[in-house]
Amino acid sequence: MRQNIRKILAVLVFAVSMLGLTACGSTAVTSTELPFDEEYLQTVTAALVEDWNGSTPEELTQIAEADTEVLEENIKNYRTMGYLWGCFNADSLKSAYAGYLGSMEELGAFQSQDGFEPMEIKGDEVTIVANLTYENRTATLSMVFNKRGIIESATLDPTYSTGEILQKAAMNTILGMGTVFIVLIFISLVIYCFNFIPGNQVQKAPAPAPKPKPKKPVQRPAAKPQTKENLVDDKELVAAITAAICAYTGTSSDGFVVRSIRRAESSTWKKY
């Protein structure tokens, strides 16, 4: 009994999804603007998640790298058939599939869809956010629709813990600073190598010869002033000089008295 109920519910969900996709295709052909039906937006968002999970990486790559003009022509046909791609334009479809393709390995296998956030209307656009659970982490899918129900953008954002965010920030800081230091070291090595290139060496001026230290003048002892020696106490010398004077003048020694005898300068004797 329970299995039958599950099958009936699955058929009903599939029918609602097809009705939503059909509405998307029909409104894209006409110029009539739709009111923002939250249930319709949720149905289209759920259909995109199912299409992602049912596609192989090769199929996702083919859509993400498709030619824009060719893809735009195919989208026009899909709108008339009510297919999911009719709710996109070429650029938003390619970016949506490329974004999921880049996050597949990080997210892991799809587990469940955990409801939607209330839709948010800004001007002519409406945004709806779906909460998704994957094998490795949770994620949010943000879908932006215009008034005609065409998807302008679909962004899948994995959820990271605080530790993972800090770890990524630290790694980015280390890589950034490490790159800067490596470049600076490389530039320093290049500049250093210029010294070994012939013709680029700077001729260094010879260093000036050291000035000789001034010699200290030799201080000679000051000559002592010559004092005139009085030889009057030398009696033998007095007697000899007195006799010589008397002989020279022819007089007697009684007529004079020798009071002082001093040595004469050498220059005076040279005259004689």
Side-chain angles (χ1 to χ4, degrees), residues 62-130:
Q62 185 178 2
I63 297 172
E65 298 177 355
D67 184 79
T68 303
E69 295 181 358
V70 175
L71 189 59
E72 191 67 44
E73 291 295 327
N74 293 331
I75 287 174
K76 292 179 181 179
N77 298 328
Y78 293 141
R79 287 174 183 170
T80 59
M81 295 184 295
Y83 187 63
L84 171 65
W85 289 3
C87 297
F88 285 89
N89 55 46
D91 292 332
S92 62
L93 181 63
K94 291 175 62 175
S95 63
Y97 279 75
Y100 177 70
L101 182 64
S103 303
M104 279 185 65
E105 184 176 356
E106 184 179 12
L107 294 172
F110 177 74
Q111 299 291 327
S112 63
Q113 182 174 316
D114 305 324
F116 296 87
E117 301 292 336
M119 67 178 184
E120 182 180 356
I121 301 175
K122 289 184 179 180
D124 295 337
E125 296 179 342
V126 59
T127 302
I128 189 167
V129 178

Short mmCIF file of all heavy atoms in Angstrom, two decimals, residues 62-130:
data_model
loop_
_atom_site.label_atom_id
_atom_site.label_comp_id
_atom_site.label_asym_id
_atom_site.label_seq_id
_atom_site.Cartn_x
_atom_site.Cartn_y
_atom_site.Cartn_z
N GLN A 62 29.33 19.64 -22.79
CA GLN A 62 28.84 19.97 -24.13
C GLN A 62 27.93 21.19 -24.10
O GLN A 62 28.00 22.04 -24.99
CB GLN A 62 28.10 18.76 -24.71
CG GLN A 62 27.67 18.95 -26.16
CD GLN A 62 26.99 17.71 -26.72
OE1 GLN A 62 26.79 16.72 -26.01
NE2 GLN A 62 26.62 17.76 -27.99
N ILE A 63 27.08 21.28 -23.07
CA ILE A 63 26.18 22.43 -22.97
C ILE A 63 26.96 23.68 -22.57
O ILE A 63 26.75 24.77 -23.12
CB ILE A 63 25.07 22.13 -21.95
CG1 ILE A 63 24.22 20.95 -22.42
CG2 ILE A 63 24.19 23.37 -21.74
CD1 ILE A 63 23.24 20.45 -21.39
N ALA A 64 27.89 23.54 -21.61
CA ALA A 64 28.63 24.70 -21.12
C ALA A 64 29.53 25.30 -22.20
O ALA A 64 29.78 26.52 -22.19
CB ALA A 64 29.47 24.31 -19.91
N GLU A 65 29.99 24.47 -23.15
CA GLU A 65 30.90 24.95 -24.18
C GLU A 65 30.23 25.08 -25.55
O GLU A 65 30.91 25.22 -26.56
CB GLU A 65 32.10 24.00 -24.29
CG GLU A 65 32.92 23.92 -23.00
CD GLU A 65 34.06 22.93 -23.10
OE1 GLU A 65 34.15 22.24 -24.16
OE2 GLU A 65 34.86 22.84 -22.15
N ALA A 66 28.91 25.04 -25.58
CA ALA A 66 28.19 25.12 -26.86
C ALA A 66 28.30 26.51 -27.47
O ALA A 66 28.52 27.51 -26.78
CB ALA A 66 26.72 24.76 -26.64
N ASP A 67 28.15 26.59 -28.78
CA ASP A 67 28.15 27.87 -29.48
C ASP A 67 26.91 28.66 -29.09
O ASP A 67 25.79 28.13 -29.09
CB ASP A 67 28.19 27.64 -31.00
CG ASP A 67 28.27 28.95 -31.75
OD1 ASP A 67 29.38 29.51 -31.84
OD2 ASP A 67 27.22 29.41 -32.24
N THR A 68 27.09 29.93 -28.77
CA THR A 68 25.98 30.74 -28.24
C THR A 68 24.87 30.91 -29.27
O THR A 68 23.68 30.79 -28.94
CB THR A 68 26.51 32.12 -27.81
OG1 THR A 68 27.54 31.94 -26.85
CG2 THR A 68 25.40 32.95 -27.19
N GLU A 69 25.23 31.17 -30.50
CA GLU A 69 24.20 31.40 -31.53
C GLU A 69 23.41 30.13 -31.81
O GLU A 69 22.18 30.16 -31.93
CB GLU A 69 24.86 31.92 -32.81
CG GLU A 69 25.52 33.28 -32.65
CD GLU A 69 26.13 33.77 -33.94
OE1 GLU A 69 26.07 33.01 -34.95
OE2 GLU A 69 26.65 34.90 -33.97
N VAL A 70 24.12 29.00 -31.91
CA VAL A 70 23.43 27.73 -32.15
C VAL A 70 22.53 27.38 -30.97
O VAL A 70 21.38 26.93 -31.14
CB VAL A 70 24.46 26.61 -32.40
CG1 VAL A 70 23.75 25.25 -32.54
CG2 VAL A 70 25.28 26.92 -33.65
N LEU A 71 23.02 27.60 -29.77
CA LEU A 71 22.23 27.29 -28.58
C LEU A 71 21.00 28.18 -28.49
O LEU A 71 19.93 27.73 -28.07
CB LEU A 71 23.11 27.46 -27.34
CG LEU A 71 22.52 26.97 -26.01
CD1 LEU A 71 22.20 25.50 -26.08
CD2 LEU A 71 23.49 27.26 -24.86
N GLU A 72 21.12 29.42 -28.90
CA GLU A 72 19.97 30.34 -28.87
C GLU A 72 18.88 29.87 -29.83
O GLU A 72 17.67 29.95 -29.51
CB GLU A 72 20.43 31.75 -29.23
CG GLU A 72 19.40 32.84 -28.98
CD GLU A 72 19.11 33.03 -27.51
OE1 GLU A 72 20.06 33.05 -26.71
OE2 GLU A 72 17.91 33.14 -27.17
N GLU A 73 19.25 29.34 -30.99
CA GLU A 73 18.25 28.81 -31.92
C GLU A 73 17.55 27.58 -31.34
O GLU A 73 16.33 27.41 -31.48
CB GLU A 73 18.93 28.45 -33.25
CG GLU A 73 19.43 29.65 -34.04
CD GLU A 73 18.29 30.55 -34.50
OE1 GLU A 73 17.19 30.01 -34.78
OE2 GLU A 73 18.50 31.76 -34.58
N ASN A 74 18.31 26.72 -30.67
CA ASN A 74 17.70 25.54 -30.05
C ASN A 74 16.75 25.93 -28.92
O ASN A 74 15.70 25.31 -28.73
CB ASN A 74 18.78 24.60 -29.52
CG ASN A 74 19.61 23.99 -30.64
OD1 ASN A 74 19.11 23.80 -31.75
ND2 ASN A 74 20.86 23.66 -30.35
N ILE A 75 17.12 26.98 -28.16
CA ILE A 75 16.27 27.41 -27.05
C ILE A 75 14.91 27.87 -27.56
O ILE A 75 13.86 27.63 -26.94
CB ILE A 75 16.98 28.52 -26.24
CG1 ILE A 75 18.12 27.91 -25.43
CG2 ILE A 75 16.02 29.25 -25.33
CD1 ILE A 75 18.97 28.92 -24.71
N LYS A 76 14.87 28.53 -28.71
CA LYS A 76 13.59 28.98 -29.27
C LYS A 76 12.68 27.78 -29.56
O LYS A 76 11.46 27.84 -29.33
CB LYS A 76 13.84 29.78 -30.55
CG LYS A 76 14.53 31.11 -30.31
CD LYS A 76 14.76 31.85 -31.62
CE LYS A 76 15.47 33.17 -31.40
NZ LYS A 76 15.72 33.89 -32.69
N ASN A 77 13.26 26.69 -30.04
CA ASN A 77 12.46 25.48 -30.29
C ASN A 77 12.01 24.84 -28.98
O ASN A 77 10.88 24.34 -28.87
CB ASN A 77 13.26 24.48 -31.11
CG ASN A 77 13.63 25.02 -32.49
OD1 ASN A 77 12.86 25.81 -33.07
ND2 ASN A 77 14.77 24.62 -33.01
N TYR A 78 12.88 24.85 -27.99
CA TYR A 78 12.52 24.26 -26.71
C TYR A 78 11.38 25.02 -26.04
O TYR A 78 10.58 24.44 -25.30
CB TYR A 78 13.74 24.23 -25.78
CG TYR A 78 14.84 23.30 -26.25
CD1 TYR A 78 16.18 23.65 -26.12
CD2 TYR A 78 14.54 22.08 -26.83
CE1 TYR A 78 17.19 22.82 -26.55
CE2 TYR A 78 15.54 21.23 -27.27
CZ TYR A 78 16.87 21.61 -27.14
OH TYR A 78 17.87 20.76 -27.57
N ARG A 79 11.30 26.33 -26.27
CA ARG A 79 10.22 27.11 -25.66
C ARG A 79 8.85 26.70 -26.21
O ARG A 79 7.86 26.68 -25.48
CB ARG A 79 10.46 28.60 -25.89
CG ARG A 79 11.60 29.17 -25.05
CD ARG A 79 11.93 30.59 -25.40
NE ARG A 79 13.07 31.08 -24.62
CZ ARG A 79 13.70 32.22 -24.84
NH1 ARG A 79 13.31 33.00 -25.86
NH2 ARG A 79 14.71 32.59 -24.09
N THR A 80 8.81 26.40 -27.47
CA THR A 80 7.53 25.97 -28.06
C THR A 80 7.12 24.59 -27.57
O THR A 80 5.93 24.27 -27.50
CB THR A 80 7.65 25.95 -29.59
OG1 THR A 80 8.69 25.04 -29.98
CG2 THR A 80 7.96 27.33 -30.13
N MET A 81 8.13 23.77 -27.15
CA MET A 81 7.82 22.43 -26.68
C MET A 81 7.67 22.36 -25.16
O MET A 81 7.34 21.31 -24.61
CB MET A 81 8.95 21.46 -27.10
CG MET A 81 9.06 21.29 -28.61
SD MET A 81 10.31 20.06 -29.09
CE MET A 81 11.79 20.86 -28.50
N GLY A 82 7.89 23.48 -24.49
CA GLY A 82 7.75 23.49 -23.04
C GLY A 82 8.87 22.79 -22.31
O GLY A 82 8.69 22.32 -21.18
N TYR A 83 10.06 22.69 -22.93
CA TYR A 83 11.18 22.02 -22.29
C TYR A 83 11.88 22.99 -21.35
O TYR A 83 11.76 24.22 -21.49
CB TYR A 83 12.15 21.50 -23.37
CG TYR A 83 13.26 20.65 -22.83
CD1 TYR A 83 12.99 19.44 -22.20
CD2 TYR A 83 14.59 21.06 -22.96
CE1 TYR A 83 14.02 18.66 -21.70
CE2 TYR A 83 15.62 20.28 -22.47
CZ TYR A 83 15.33 19.07 -21.83
OH TYR A 83 16.35 18.31 -21.34
N LEU A 84 12.61 22.43 -20.37
CA LEU A 84 13.28 23.26 -19.34
C LEU A 84 14.15 24.34 -19.95
O LEU A 84 14.15 25.48 -19.49
CB LEU A 84 14.11 22.36 -18.42
CG LEU A 84 15.03 23.07 -17.43
CD1 LEU A 84 14.22 23.87 -16.42
CD2 LEU A 84 15.93 22.07 -16.72
N TRP A 85 14.93 24.00 -20.99
CA TRP A 85 15.85 24.98 -21.55
C TRP A 85 15.12 26.20 -22.11
O TRP A 85 15.74 27.24 -22.30
CB TRP A 85 16.68 24.34 -22.66
CG TRP A 85 17.69 23.36 -22.13
CD1 TRP A 85 17.87 22.98 -20.83
CD2 TRP A 85 18.65 22.64 -22.90
NE1 TRP A 85 18.87 22.06 -20.72
CE2 TRP A 85 19.38 21.82 -21.98
CE3 TRP A 85 18.96 22.57 -24.25
CZ2 TRP A 85 20.40 20.98 -22.39
CZ3 TRP A 85 19.98 21.73 -24.66
CH2 TRP A 85 20.70 20.93 -23.73
N GLY A 86 13.84 26.07 -22.39
CA GLY A 86 13.08 27.22 -22.89
C GLY A 86 12.95 28.33 -21.87
O GLY A 86 12.58 29.46 -22.22
N CYS A 87 13.23 28.03 -20.59
CA CYS A 87 13.16 29.06 -19.54
C CYS A 87 14.47 29.85 -19.41
O CYS A 87 14.58 30.73 -18.57
CB CYS A 87 12.84 28.40 -18.20
SG CYS A 87 11.24 27.58 -18.16
N PHE A 88 15.47 29.54 -20.24
CA PHE A 88 16.77 30.21 -20.20
C PHE A 88 16.97 31.05 -21.45
O PHE A 88 16.22 30.95 -22.43
CB PHE A 88 17.91 29.17 -20.14
CG PHE A 88 18.06 28.49 -18.80
CD1 PHE A 88 17.35 27.34 -18.51
CD2 PHE A 88 18.92 28.99 -17.85
CE1 PHE A 88 17.51 26.69 -17.30
CE2 PHE A 88 19.09 28.36 -16.63
CZ PHE A 88 18.37 27.21 -16.36
N ASN A 89 18.00 31.89 -21.41
CA ASN A 89 18.61 32.39 -22.64
C ASN A 89 19.97 31.70 -22.78
O ASN A 89 20.40 30.96 -21.88
CB ASN A 89 18.75 33.92 -22.62
CG ASN A 89 19.52 34.42 -21.41
OD1 ASN A 89 20.56 33.90 -21.06
ND2 ASN A 89 18.97 35.45 -20.73
N ALA A 90 20.65 31.89 -23.87
CA ALA A 90 21.86 31.11 -24.16
C ALA A 90 22.95 31.34 -23.12
O ALA A 90 23.57 30.38 -22.62
CB ALA A 90 22.38 31.44 -25.55
N ASP A 91 23.17 32.59 -22.75
CA ASP A 91 24.24 32.89 -21.80
C ASP A 91 23.96 32.34 -20.42
O ASP A 91 24.84 31.77 -19.76
CB ASP A 91 24.46 34.41 -21.73
CG ASP A 91 25.03 34.98 -23.01
OD1 ASP A 91 25.73 34.23 -23.72
OD2 ASP A 91 24.77 36.16 -23.31
N SER A 92 22.74 32.51 -19.91
CA SER A 92 22.42 32.02 -18.58
C SER A 92 22.43 30.49 -18.53
O SER A 92 22.81 29.89 -17.52
CB SER A 92 21.05 32.55 -18.13
OG SER A 92 20.02 32.11 -19.01
N LEU A 93 22.04 29.82 -19.63
CA LEU A 93 22.06 28.37 -19.66
C LEU A 93 23.49 27.85 -19.60
O LEU A 93 23.81 26.92 -18.84
CB LEU A 93 21.37 27.86 -20.92
CG LEU A 93 21.30 26.34 -21.08
CD1 LEU A 93 20.48 25.71 -19.97
CD2 LEU A 93 20.73 25.96 -22.44
N LYS A 94 24.38 28.44 -20.38
CA LYS A 94 25.78 28.00 -20.39
C LYS A 94 26.44 28.24 -19.02
O LYS A 94 27.15 27.37 -18.51
CB LYS A 94 26.55 28.75 -21.47
CG LYS A 94 26.16 28.36 -22.89
CD LYS A 94 26.87 29.21 -23.92
CE LYS A 94 28.36 29.02 -23.86
NZ LYS A 94 29.06 29.75 -24.93
N SER A 95 26.21 29.40 -18.42
CA SER A 95 26.83 29.70 -17.12
C SER A 95 26.27 28.80 -16.02
O SER A 95 27.01 28.39 -15.11
CB SER A 95 26.61 31.17 -16.76
OG SER A 95 25.23 31.45 -16.61
N ALA A 96 24.97 28.44 -16.09
CA ALA A 96 24.38 27.57 -15.07
C ALA A 96 25.01 26.18 -15.11
O ALA A 96 25.39 25.62 -14.06
CB ALA A 96 22.87 27.48 -15.28
N TYR A 97 25.15 25.62 -16.29
CA TYR A 97 25.72 24.28 -16.41
C TYR A 97 27.23 24.28 -16.15
O TYR A 97 27.77 23.33 -15.59
CB TYR A 97 25.40 23.69 -17.78
CG TYR A 97 24.00 23.12 -17.85
CD1 TYR A 97 22.90 23.95 -17.95
CD2 TYR A 97 23.77 21.75 -17.80
CE1 TYR A 97 21.61 23.45 -17.99
CE2 TYR A 97 22.49 21.23 -17.85
CZ TYR A 97 21.41 22.09 -17.94
OH TYR A 97 20.14 21.57 -17.98
N ALA A 98 27.90 25.35 -16.54
CA ALA A 98 29.34 25.45 -16.26
C ALA A 98 29.58 25.57 -14.76
O ALA A 98 30.54 25.00 -14.23
CB ALA A 98 29.93 26.65 -16.99
N GLY A 99 28.72 26.33 -14.05
CA GLY A 99 28.87 26.47 -12.61
C GLY A 99 28.69 25.15 -11.87
O GLY A 99 29.46 24.82 -10.96
N TYR A 100 27.68 24.38 -12.28
CA TYR A 100 27.47 23.08 -11.64
C TYR A 100 28.61 22.12 -11.98
O TYR A 100 29.07 21.35 -11.13
CB TYR A 100 26.14 22.49 -12.07
CG TYR A 100 25.90 21.10 -11.49
CD1 TYR A 100 25.67 20.92 -10.15
CD2 TYR A 100 25.95 19.98 -12.32
CE1 TYR A 100 25.47 19.65 -9.62
CE2 TYR A 100 25.75 18.71 -11.80
CZ TYR A 100 25.51 18.56 -10.45
OH TYR A 100 25.32 17.30 -9.93
N LEU A 101 29.09 22.17 -13.21
CA LEU A 101 30.18 21.30 -13.63
C LEU A 101 31.44 21.56 -12.81
O LEU A 101 32.16 20.63 -12.43
CB LEU A 101 30.47 21.50 -15.11
CG LEU A 101 31.56 20.62 -15.74
CD1 LEU A 101 31.17 19.15 -15.69
CD2 LEU A 101 31.83 21.06 -17.18
N GLY A 102 31.69 22.82 -12.50
CA GLY A 102 32.88 23.16 -11.71
C GLY A 102 32.77 22.77 -10.25
O GLY A 102 33.78 22.66 -9.56
N SER A 103 31.54 22.57 -9.74
CA SER A 103 31.34 22.25 -8.33
C SER A 103 31.00 20.79 -8.09
O SER A 103 30.83 20.38 -6.94
CB SER A 103 30.21 23.12 -7.75
OG SER A 103 30.49 24.49 -7.90
N MET A 104 30.89 19.99 -9.15
CA MET A 104 30.47 18.60 -9.00
C MET A 104 31.39 17.80 -8.08
O MET A 104 30.93 17.13 -7.14
CB MET A 104 30.41 17.92 -10.37
CG MET A 104 29.16 18.18 -11.17
SD MET A 104 29.14 17.22 -12.71
CE MET A 104 29.08 15.55 -12.03
N GLU A 105 32.66 17.87 -8.33
CA GLU A 105 33.61 17.08 -7.56
C GLU A 105 33.63 17.51 -6.11
O GLU A 105 33.77 16.68 -5.19
CB GLU A 105 35.01 17.21 -8.18
CG GLU A 105 36.06 16.35 -7.51
CD GLU A 105 37.40 16.45 -8.20
OE1 GLU A 105 37.47 17.14 -9.25
OE2 GLU A 105 38.38 15.85 -7.71
N GLU A 106 33.50 18.80 -5.86
CA GLU A 106 33.53 19.31 -4.48
C GLU A 106 32.26 18.95 -3.72
O GLU A 106 32.31 18.68 -2.52
CB GLU A 106 33.72 20.83 -4.51
CG GLU A 106 33.87 21.46 -3.14
CD GLU A 106 34.09 22.95 -3.22
OE1 GLU A 106 33.90 23.52 -4.33
OE2 GLU A 106 34.44 23.55 -2.21
N LEU A 107 31.11 18.95 -4.40
CA LEU A 107 29.83 18.69 -3.74
C LEU A 107 29.59 17.19 -3.53
O LEU A 107 29.06 16.78 -2.50
CB LEU A 107 28.69 19.28 -4.57
CG LEU A 107 28.66 20.80 -4.67
CD1 LEU A 107 27.59 21.23 -5.67
CD2 LEU A 107 28.40 21.43 -3.31
N GLY A 108 29.94 16.39 -4.49
CA GLY A 108 29.64 14.97 -4.41
C GLY A 108 28.24 14.67 -4.96
O GLY A 108 27.63 15.49 -5.67
N ALA A 109 27.73 13.50 -4.64
CA ALA A 109 26.42 13.07 -5.16
C ALA A 109 25.29 13.85 -4.50
O ALA A 109 25.37 14.23 -3.34
CB ALA A 109 26.23 11.57 -4.93
N PHE A 110 24.23 14.07 -5.28
CA PHE A 110 23.06 14.79 -4.77
C PHE A 110 22.31 13.91 -3.77
O PHE A 110 22.08 12.72 -4.01
CB PHE A 110 22.14 15.18 -5.94
CG PHE A 110 20.88 15.87 -5.50
CD1 PHE A 110 20.91 17.17 -5.06
CD2 PHE A 110 19.66 15.20 -5.53
CE1 PHE A 110 19.74 17.82 -4.66
CE2 PHE A 110 18.50 15.82 -5.13
CZ PHE A 110 18.54 17.14 -4.70
N GLN A 111 21.91 14.52 -2.63
CA GLN A 111 21.20 13.79 -1.60
C GLN A 111 19.73 14.19 -1.52
O GLN A 111 18.84 13.34 -1.65
CB GLN A 111 21.87 14.03 -0.23
CG GLN A 111 23.32 13.56 -0.16
CD GLN A 111 23.44 12.05 -0.21
OE1 GLN A 111 22.59 11.33 0.28
NE2 GLN A 111 24.53 11.57 -0.82
N SER A 112 19.48 15.47 -1.32
CA SER A 112 18.08 15.90 -1.16
C SER A 112 17.94 17.39 -1.38
O SER A 112 18.93 18.13 -1.38
CB SER A 112 17.58 15.54 0.25
OG SER A 112 18.32 16.26 1.23
N GLN A 113 16.70 17.80 -1.58
CA GLN A 113 16.36 19.22 -1.69
C GLN A 113 15.59 19.60 -0.43
O GLN A 113 14.56 19.00 -0.12
CB GLN A 113 15.51 19.47 -2.93
CG GLN A 113 15.17 20.93 -3.14
CD GLN A 113 14.44 21.16 -4.45
OE1 GLN A 113 14.83 20.61 -5.48
NE2 GLN A 113 13.39 21.95 -4.41
N ASP A 114 16.11 20.62 0.28
CA ASP A 114 15.60 20.93 1.62
C ASP A 114 14.77 22.20 1.65
O ASP A 114 14.86 23.01 2.58
CB ASP A 114 16.77 21.05 2.60
CG ASP A 114 17.64 19.81 2.60
OD1 ASP A 114 17.09 18.71 2.46
OD2 ASP A 114 18.87 19.95 2.73
N GLY A 115 13.94 22.40 0.66
CA GLY A 115 13.02 23.54 0.69
C GLY A 115 13.58 24.78 0.04
O GLY A 115 14.71 24.81 -0.47
N PHE A 116 12.79 25.85 0.08
CA PHE A 116 13.11 27.11 -0.59
C PHE A 116 13.03 28.26 0.40
O PHE A 116 12.27 28.23 1.37
CB PHE A 116 12.15 27.38 -1.75
CG PHE A 116 12.22 26.36 -2.85
CD1 PHE A 116 11.47 25.20 -2.81
CD2 PHE A 116 13.04 26.57 -3.94
CE1 PHE A 116 11.53 24.26 -3.82
CE2 PHE A 116 13.11 25.65 -4.97
CZ PHE A 116 12.36 24.49 -4.91
N GLU A 117 13.80 29.28 0.11
CA GLU A 117 13.67 30.55 0.84
C GLU A 117 12.55 31.37 0.21
O GLU A 117 12.21 31.17 -0.97
CB GLU A 117 14.99 31.33 0.76
CG GLU A 117 16.21 30.60 1.34
CD GLU A 117 16.13 30.44 2.83
OE1 GLU A 117 15.41 31.24 3.48
OE2 GLU A 117 16.77 29.51 3.35
N PRO A 118 11.93 32.27 0.97
CA PRO A 118 10.88 33.12 0.38
C PRO A 118 11.45 33.92 -0.79
O PRO A 118 12.57 34.42 -0.74
CB PRO A 118 10.47 34.04 1.53
CG PRO A 118 10.85 33.30 2.77
CD PRO A 118 12.09 32.55 2.43
N MET A 119 10.65 34.00 -1.88
CA MET A 119 11.14 34.72 -3.06
C MET A 119 11.29 36.21 -2.75
O MET A 119 10.55 36.77 -1.93
CB MET A 119 10.20 34.50 -4.25
CG MET A 119 8.84 35.11 -4.12
SD MET A 119 7.85 34.83 -5.63
CE MET A 119 6.38 35.74 -5.23
N GLU A 120 12.22 36.84 -3.43
CA GLU A 120 12.53 38.25 -3.20
C GLU A 120 12.39 39.00 -4.52
O GLU A 120 13.02 38.64 -5.52
CB GLU A 120 13.97 38.38 -2.67
CG GLU A 120 14.38 39.80 -2.35
CD GLU A 120 15.80 39.87 -1.81
OE1 GLU A 120 16.41 38.81 -1.62
OE2 GLU A 120 16.30 41.00 -1.60
N ILE A 121 11.56 40.03 -4.52
CA ILE A 121 11.28 40.80 -5.73
C ILE A 121 12.04 42.12 -5.66
O ILE A 121 11.93 42.87 -4.68
CB ILE A 121 9.78 41.06 -5.89
CG1 ILE A 121 9.02 39.74 -5.97
CG2 ILE A 121 9.51 41.91 -7.13
CD1 ILE A 121 7.52 39.90 -6.00
N LYS A 122 12.84 42.39 -6.71
CA LYS A 122 13.54 43.66 -6.84
C LYS A 122 13.30 44.21 -8.24
O LYS A 122 13.86 43.71 -9.22
CB LYS A 122 15.05 43.47 -6.61
CG LYS A 122 15.41 43.17 -5.17
CD LYS A 122 16.93 43.09 -5.00
CE LYS A 122 17.31 42.82 -3.56
NZ LYS A 122 18.79 42.75 -3.38
N GLY A 123 12.46 45.22 -8.32
CA GLY A 123 12.16 45.83 -9.61
C GLY A 123 11.47 44.84 -10.54
O GLY A 123 10.41 44.30 -10.22
N ASP A 124 12.08 44.60 -11.69
CA ASP A 124 11.51 43.69 -12.68
C ASP A 124 12.04 42.27 -12.54
O ASP A 124 11.79 41.44 -13.42
CB ASP A 124 11.82 44.19 -14.10
CG ASP A 124 11.14 45.52 -14.38
OD1 ASP A 124 10.14 45.82 -13.71
OD2 ASP A 124 11.65 46.26 -15.24
N GLU A 125 12.75 41.97 -11.46
CA GLU A 125 13.32 40.65 -11.29
C GLU A 125 12.86 40.05 -9.97
O GLU A 125 12.55 40.77 -9.01
CB GLU A 125 14.85 40.71 -11.31
CG GLU A 125 15.44 41.15 -12.64
CD GLU A 125 16.95 41.21 -12.61
OE1 GLU A 125 17.53 41.26 -11.50
OE2 GLU A 125 17.56 41.24 -13.70
N VAL A 126 12.86 38.73 -9.94
CA VAL A 126 12.51 38.00 -8.73
C VAL A 126 13.57 36.92 -8.52
O VAL A 126 14.03 36.28 -9.48
CB VAL A 126 11.10 37.38 -8.81
CG1 VAL A 126 10.99 36.42 -9.99
CG2 VAL A 126 10.75 36.66 -7.52
N THR A 127 13.97 36.74 -7.28
CA THR A 127 15.02 35.77 -6.93
C THR A 127 14.43 34.72 -5.99
O THR A 127 13.74 35.07 -5.02
CB THR A 127 16.21 36.45 -6.25
OG1 THR A 127 16.73 37.46 -7.12
CG2 THR A 127 17.30 35.44 -5.93
N ILE A 128 14.72 33.47 -6.28
CA ILE A 128 14.30 32.38 -5.42
C ILE A 128 15.53 31.52 -5.12
O ILE A 128 16.36 31.28 -6.00
CB ILE A 128 13.18 31.54 -6.06
CG1 ILE A 128 12.62 30.56 -5.02
CG2 ILE A 128 13.64 30.83 -7.31
CD1 ILE A 128 11.32 29.91 -5.45
N VAL A 129 15.63 31.09 -3.86
CA VAL A 129 16.81 30.34 -3.40
C VAL A 129 16.37 28.98 -2.92
O VAL A 129 15.47 28.87 -2.07
CB VAL A 129 17.54 31.10 -2.27
CG1 VAL A 129 18.74 30.29 -1.78
CG2 VAL A 129 18.00 32.47 -2.76
N ALA A 130 17.02 27.93 -3.43
CA ALA A 130 16.74 26.55 -3.02
C ALA A 130 17.90 26.04 -2.18
O ALA A 130 19.07 26.28 -2.51
CB ALA A 130 16.55 25.67 -4.25
#
